[in-house]
Amino acid sequence: MSATSGTPTAPDAPPTRLFVNGAWREGGDGSYPVVDPSTERIVGRAPEASAADVEAAVAAARAAFDGWSRTSPAERAAVLDRIADVLLARNDDFVPLLQAETGATIRVASAMQVPVAAERFRRYARGALEPGVSALVPQPVAATPLAAGGLTSAVAARRPVGVVGCITSYNFPIVNLAGKLAPALAAGNTVVAKPAPQDPLGCLKLGEVFEEAGAPPGIFNVVTGSGATTGAALVASPDVDMISFTGSTAVGRRIAADGGHTMKRMLLELGGKGAGIVLEDADLRAAVAAIGSAWSFHSGQICTAPTRVLVHESRHDEVVAALAAYAAALTVGDPLSPDTVVGPVISALHRDRVEGYIAGALAEGARLVCGGTRKEHADGFPVFPDTGFYVAPTLLADVTPAMTIAREEVFGPVVVVIPFRDEEEAIAIANSTEFGLYDYVFSADTARAYALAARLRTGHVGINTAQRNMEAPFGGFKQSGVGRDGGSYGLQAYSEVQAVIWAC
Ligand code: NAD
């Protein structure tokens, strides 16, 4: 056990502590249990931050802002690089903790958390430094003649926003936080983080990494607890300049409204209901592999998944059969087994919610092709363990765009198939939800897919791939969010433009 935060923990271990101003403190409102979604056992206790804890964290970030924002890009880059070094060196400490609190498969917990988070710190260490790439380099503005003679010249300089409250979702706790923290710090801001209540222990442990890396106290603070208390206190604080939020559209709306009272800058990364459009000329093997991997990855708890598979009617039956075969080949169960692809979802509450969506779809007339139950015995599916919040990978056909399952985000291993007659209909269905995060087009004709992409009301379009590009701008259209990060867009997101004008 660490002598600092108190992680990793056991059921009877004392609660972990909050990380505020480079020091560890008890949660003013006590603590609550963190549960392993695969064993249903308590794996630790997280502090419940009080309003005073949030205030202290914001005050620490405010006090640290002046010094940190005036450090040189090279100094900031050095700190971020050291954080990446320490994170990678301590990967083995993080993996069991992150695996237990998220229920992720050991493959995902090992490869997709600390290494990806460390890469984000490296990326923005470089970002702070690169002239011409960094959004922080002042851009010259054209000189303007004055009526009285002479000229004014100007530059558009980027300045840090100030204190940033980072409120994150549960699915990839460290990665989601690092994706905000690294560009925010690189741009000269200071941060108060509020991780998801289900799995906050790894994010608290990040405090140890900052300590070991010798980061200045107060530039990064972590407060844990519920959204309604800890999160809301951060959003309400007049001393927080910006909220960077990843989570559901419903909570995003609430945060946008609450933060509006103090005119906070907002980066909102919200829910999705991606369309995977399979045109009649698509390579079905590649399309099914891409859709299947997104469907099963992290038990479908990813915002970018193509959960609505729109298929040209001439290929519909082939795609349904191929997706069902894909699901039947997935190993579902114990996340600690290296062969497991699909583990549990995050909580009993969430499992019940996912099951509710499946039951609702069947009641509305959808056809269950596979999955749909907690314990799937048929067609070679494994029998799940007795404990754990498992949902079998579920495929629903005979779905219409008007059904609830085709309109609302499920955030679990559930995919629906909807046929279309022509491109016009495919576009209309794809654009018919309130979301606009990530769509996909599968076609042998890339020019045709590119032209179709222009008509999709979505922040991203993957053509024949479900792979992300971390340098590409990331964010949503419509109710999938506000703002962009990713690559150099991340530096812009965490800075404000200031015009500096002089007579010449
Ligand atoms: P959630 O919206 O339930 O919670 C997200 C965070 O908001 C948590 O830390 C929660 O405690 C906090 N919160 C809740 N109410 C709050 C309030 N009133 N004020 C302040 N904070 C509050 O989301 P979740 O269940 O953790 O994650 C799943 C959702 O996240 C899905 O909708 C998914 O699509 C979305 N997501 C989006 C992206 C993206 O980049 N667009 C990435 C990952 C996840």
Side-chain angles (χ1 to χ4, degrees):
M1 179 192 288
S2 144
T4 48
S5 70
T7 57
T9 62
D12 51 354
T16 51
R17 286 179 279 168
L18 303 168
F19 187 61
V20 174
N21 204 20
W24 299 93
R25 60 191 268 163
E26 308 291 334
D29 283 349
S31 67
Y32 67 92
V34 176
V35 173
D36 179 335
S38 68
T39 62
E40 302 185 32
R41 288 200 200 108
I42 294 173
V43 293
R45 295 192 70 84
E48 189 87 57
S50 64
D53 293 325
V54 175
E55 218 173 281
V58 172
R62 175 60 60 199
F65 175 70
D66 189 47
W68 180 249
S69 61
R70 290 199 287 143
T71 53
S72 68
E75 287 171 88
R76 292 202 289 275
V79 171
L80 294 182
D81 263 332
R82 285 202 302 275
I83 290 166
D85 292 341
V86 176
L87 254 179
L88 290 174
R90 296 196 54 185
N91 189 25
D92 290 354
D93 280 357
F94 273 92
V95 169
L97 180 66
L98 290 168
Q99 190 286 319
E101 66 175 344
T102 60
T105 62
I106 194 69
R107 285 202 288 191
V108 168
S110 309
M112 294 301 302
Q113 284 277 352
V114 167
V116 176
E119 177 46 36
R120 303 235 158 132
F121 285 102
R122 288 256 191 269
R123 167 63 184 85
Y124 288 104
R126 290 200 313 277
L129 280 177
E130 287 169 28
V133 172
S134 166
L136 304 180
V137 175
Q139 302 297 314
V141 172
T144 310
L146 295 172
L151 293 168
T152 62
S153 214
V155 292
R158 286 204 169 259
R159 310 294 189 208
V161 183
V163 173
V164 182
C166 295
I167 302 177
T168 44
S169 62
Y170 73 78
N171 54 341
F172 292 99
I174 297 264
V175 170
N176 289 344
L177 180 53
K180 299 177 181 306
L181 189 51
L185 292 177
N189 304 278
T190 56
V191 167
V192 178
K194 206 302 273 178
Q198 298 93 333
D199 50 15
L201 301 178
C203 292
L204 284 164
K205 199 174 182 63
L206 258 188
E208 295 174 21
V209 173
F210 272 66
E211 280 184 317
E212 204 174 320
I219 66 167
F220 170 57
N221 308 273
V222 192
V223 288
T224 55
S226 76
T229 53
T230 314
L234 199 52
V235 174
S237 170
D239 231 8
V240 172
D241 301 287
M242 172 175 176
I243 292 291
S244 176
F245 172 73
T246 298
S248 61
T249 292
V251 173
R253 276 189 207 111
R254 175 75 191 265
I255 287 177
D258 292 352
H261 295 295
T262 43
M263 211 54 81
K264 287 184 173 42
R265 277 48 185 157
M266 293 272 171
L267 177 62
L268 303 174
E269 312 201 299
L270 309 178
K273 189 76 190 173
I277 301 175
V278 183
L279 297 178
E280 67 278 11
D281 62 354
D283 171 350
L284 286 200
R285 223 165 50 93
V288 167
I291 293 165
S293 71
W295 174 21
S296 50
F297 181 59
H298 205 29
S299 305
Q301 297 169 113
I302 46 172
C303 52
T304 54
T307 52
R308 294 178 298 153
V309 183
L310 313 187
V311 191
H312 188 267
E313 58 189 4
S314 66
R315 312 296 300 272
H316 175 268
D317 293 354
E318 280 173 271
V319 169
V320 170
L323 284 172
Y326 188 99
L330 293 170
T331 305
V332 186
D334 178 8
L336 292 177
S337 162
D339 297 329
T340 297
V341 180
V342 181
V345 297
I346 190 70
S347 64
L349 189 72
H350 190 49
R351 177 199 52 201
D352 294 351
R353 188 174 168 271
V354 174
E355 288 181 340
Y357 272 114
I358 297 168
L362 298 178
E364 285 186 61
R367 172 168 58 93
L368 187 66
V369 180
C370 67
T373 56
R374 271 180 210 192
K375 295 190 179 205
E376 180 66 76
H377 301 269
D379 298 334
F381 271 95
V383 178
F384 297 161
D386 282 337
T387 51
F389 312 129
Y390 291 92
V391 180
T394 298
L395 181 62
L396 293 158
D398 299 347
V399 169
T400 66
M403 288 181 185
T404 310
I405 194 82
R407 288 186 289 106
E408 296 187 8
E409 185 182 40
V410 177
F411 215 58
V414 180
V415 159
V416 304
V417 181
I418 305 174
F420 64 83
R421 282 184 301 276
D422 55 27
E423 259 184 54
E424 286 305 314
E425 191 181 20
I427 292 164
I429 298 170
N431 289 339
S432 67
T433 72
E434 67 182 14
F435 300 106
L437 188 58
Y438 217 123
D439 289 343
Y440 303 79
V441 182
F442 298 94
S443 170
D445 182 346
T446 327
R448 179 184 175 200
Y450 186 79
L452 199 156
R455 300 185 57 199
L456 295 173
R457 303 290 303 150
T458 182
H460 320 82
V461 182
I463 295 181
N464 295 328
T465 181
Q467 298 291 318
R468 290 266 305 274
N469 178 326
M470 301 316 287
E471 288 303 304
F474 185 84
F477 279 24
K478 301 194 284 181
Q479 301 211 22
S480 284
V482 174
R484 294 291 178 277
D485 63 9
S488 56
Y489 290 85
L491 292 164
Q492 292 177 25
Y494 294 96
S495 56
E496 296 237 52
V497 181
Q498 180 186 60
V500 183
I501 304 158
W502 61 93
C504 51

